[in-house]
Amino acid sequence: MTIHDGVRDLEGGIKTDFSTSMDYGTYLDLDTLLSAQSPVSRPEHHDELLFIIQHQTTELWLKLVLHELRAVREYLDADRLTRALKTLSRVKHIQRTLAEQWSVLATLTPAEYAEFRSVLGPSSGFQSYQYRAIEFLLGNKNARMLEVFAGTPQHAELEALLHEPTVYDCFLRLLARRGYPIPDSVLQRDVAEAWVEHPELLPVLKTVYEDVDGHWDVYEACETLVDIEDAFQFWRFRHMSTVQRTIGFKRGTGGSSGVGFLKRALDLTFFPELISVRTEIEDLRD
């Protein structure tokens, strides 16, 4: 590479003719992607583009999380715990990115948002199909949420997920196949119901946590699931705090109570036994 007058020459091997081959923009379908931002404020408000891109990129990351969590279930069903853990590690990195994105939207001041908020009508992140699908996969199932998607192509897919086992169900079934005494009440539960704490699981998990070396991969899986829960809760908190600093305690555009609704979501949990078992662990040091 040489530089003349501050301009870098192209290397000789760099391809510049794409008349008969696929280029970067074609592979990524950038014409479609970059034309998908359509502000509706008139005159167009400068900050509406930020609002749209924030939510569109979130949906793209959620699409990948869904893709990965479905794969995690398949790996667990096939007793490929190590591969499932690798995939969950990727999910954790995505979650970190999703949480950090809120700092960009937080640059939208209350006065700026107020200038175009009314054009959103009743549209709201509450209506995100992919967010609900992820919650279903992780155990926060609520059949009434299907009402929000009545008449949409996503309704059937979300209803199917409602009746499918969660990631946690698949993990516990793997443990049962390995000989861990997972209670039948857990293995035969109605998977369409929201996960609630099963105290009868605690003795099994206590055995794992009090003999880490003897159950290392299972222990690692439990802690990875706790990581996923922590990251999800942090995302929820960042969402709530960003909304609060932007609109205060106004109602949400979709009809929710706004910040109050988001605060109550912080009480939801995916894997309660993995937290409760910490209370049960005996002090192992003499």
Side-chain angles (χ1 to χ4, degrees):
M1 180 187 72
T2 58
I3 298 177
H4 300 288
D5 297 326
V7 177
R8 180 179 62 176
D9 290 338
L10 289 178
E11 295 179 355
I14 292 180
K15 187 174 180 62
T16 58
D17 181 6
F18 297 96
S19 56
T20 60
S21 59
M22 181 170 61
D23 67 359
Y24 175 82
T26 302
Y27 175 69
L28 295 178
D29 196 10
L30 289 182
D31 286 345
T32 299
L33 182 65
L34 298 179
S35 63
Q37 296 76 46
S38 303
V40 296
S41 56
R42 294 294 181 270
E44 182 179 318
H45 191 280
H46 173 83
D47 295 304
E48 191 179 354
L49 184 62
L50 160 64
F51 191 82
I52 292 171
I53 289 178
Q54 166 82 24
H55 290 83
Q56 287 183 338
T57 52
T58 294
E59 289 295 331
L60 286 172
W61 285 121
L62 293 181
K63 180 176 183 177
L64 185 56
V65 170
L66 271 174
H67 176 70
E68 302 297 350
L69 289 180
R70 285 190 168 105
V72 167
R73 288 194 310 181
E74 293 176 4
Y75 292 138
L76 292 172
D77 288 345
D79 296 314
R80 301 178 67 186
L81 182 56
T82 301
R83 189 61 183 267
L85 290 174
K86 167 63 172 64
T87 306
L88 286 172
S89 177
R90 177 177 292 167
V91 171
K92 288 193 291 184
H93 283 286
I94 299 168
Q95 289 178 300
R96 187 176 300 119
T97 298
L98 282 167
E100 183 57 31
Q101 281 188 184
W102 288 117
S103 65
V104 182
L105 191 61
T107 66
L108 182 68
T109 69
E112 290 166 344
Y113 186 38
E115 291 185 33
F116 68 87
R117 184 176 187 244
S118 63
V119 305
L120 303 180
S123 64
S124 166
F126 179 82
Q127 299 146 18
S128 169
Y129 149 75
Q130 295 192 120
Y131 177 82
R132 296 301 164 197
I134 290 170
E135 283 209 317
F136 280 16
L137 276 168
L138 292 177
N140 282 346
K141 296 191 177 184
N142 183 345
R144 289 208 60 192
M145 289 297 177
L146 295 177
E147 298 172 14
V148 178
F149 305 95
T152 71
Q154 294 80 25
H155 184 275
E157 189 173 354
L158 200 60
E159 185 171 25
L161 278 175
L162 180 71
H163 296 283
E164 293 175 7
T166 69
V167 167
Y168 199 31
D169 286 314
C170 294
F171 173 59
L172 295 172
R173 291 175 185 182
L174 178 149
L175 295 189
R177 292 193 298 273
R178 285 194 176 189
Y180 289 84
I182 306 299
D184 287 341
S185 59
V186 173
L187 297 175
Q188 297 172 10
R189 80 179 192 93
D190 181 357
V191 297
E193 296 293 326
W195 183 274
V196 294
E197 184 164 359
H198 294 264
E200 61 270 33
L201 272 176
L202 293 181
V204 181
L205 296 173
K206 186 171 183 285
T207 299
V208 172
Y209 274 81
E210 290 185 345
D211 182 11
V212 170
D213 290 337
H215 306 273
W216 177 256
D217 58 346
V218 172
Y219 170 76
E220 183 183 11
C222 290
E223 286 298 282
T224 298
L225 291 174
V226 172
D227 289 343
I228 294 290
E229 170 128 18
D230 280 352
F232 206 94
Q233 289 288 57
F234 184 60
W235 184 88
R236 283 173 171 156
F237 175 79
R238 291 297 303 273
H239 183 192
M240 183 271 296
S241 61
T242 301
V243 169
Q244 182 171 285
R245 70 176 286 164
T246 306
I247 66 168
F249 298 96
K250 293 179 181 177
R251 295 191 68 83
T253 51
S256 77
S257 58
V259 168
F261 177 81
L262 296 175
K263 281 184 177 179
R264 288 193 295 276
L266 293 172
D267 293 330
L268 298 173
T269 182
F270 297 126
F271 319 117
E273 299 83 4
L274 296 180
I275 302 302
S276 294
V277 71
R278 285 154 165 75
T279 309
E280 304 295 323
I281 297 171
E282 301 291 341
D283 189 348
L284 304 181
R285 188 181 297 276
D286 293 332

